[in-house]
Amino acid sequence: MEKVMFIEIGMGIDLHGQDVTKASIRAVQNAIHHNSMPGLRSVLPDNDLHNMKVNVRLAVPADKEKVDLDAVRAELPYGQVAFEVIDGGMPLTLVGSRAVPHLIQAPI
């Protein structure tokens, strides 16, 4: 049985280094660090958190092929993790001491 039980949303930025992996890790951390799911084991096969399916969609503004998915996966302590990396996000250009955003619409 596969059923969506919850959706978490996070945001990650690497303003100075523009590192897409670092920003992706921060987004995953942001999504998972402010929740509690008591009773989750009771709805999983064999009551095992490793049987949970975790689908992660990362909207990356540039160089999405450079995201180190193993490093991002390491931030997720449980479950069978699958990734979808799509175009999106907001790249920044530094102009003087100001960050100027360039919005890219993520497909729905």
Side-chain angles (χ1 to χ4, degrees):
M1 171 179 72
E2 291 192 30
K3 181 190 299 187
V4 175
M5 300 296 290
F6 54 90
I7 296 172
E8 296 291 333
I9 298 172
M11 182 180 75
I13 301 168
D14 181 26
L15 205 56
H16 299 289
Q18 301 286 310
D19 183 310
V20 291
T21 297
K22 188 180 283 187
S24 296
I25 287 170
R26 289 176 179 171
V28 167
Q29 290 171 339
N30 182 250
I32 68 172
H33 280 133
H34 301 288
N35 63 59
S36 177
M37 296 167 272
L40 182 62
R41 287 178 199 263
S42 68
V43 298
L44 294 171
D46 301 322
N47 296 323
D48 186 347
L49 290 174
H50 295 290
N51 288 326
M52 176 174 52
K53 299 221 176 33
V54 180
N55 297 309
V56 178
R57 179 181 294 164
L58 298 170
V60 180
D63 301 325
K64 65 183 182 182
E65 69 283 350
K66 292 183 179 179
V67 176
D68 180 349
L69 296 178
D70 289 330
V72 179
R73 183 178 285 110
E75 297 300 314
L76 296 158
Y78 307 109
Q80 302 162 21
V81 181
F83 289 98
E84 178 184 8
V85 183
I86 63 172
D87 292 324
M90 187 172 16
L92 299 173
T93 302
L94 294 177
V95 178
S97 61
R98 295 182 129 171
V100 180
H102 304 282
L103 186 62
I104 296 174
Q105 180 67 40
I108 296 176

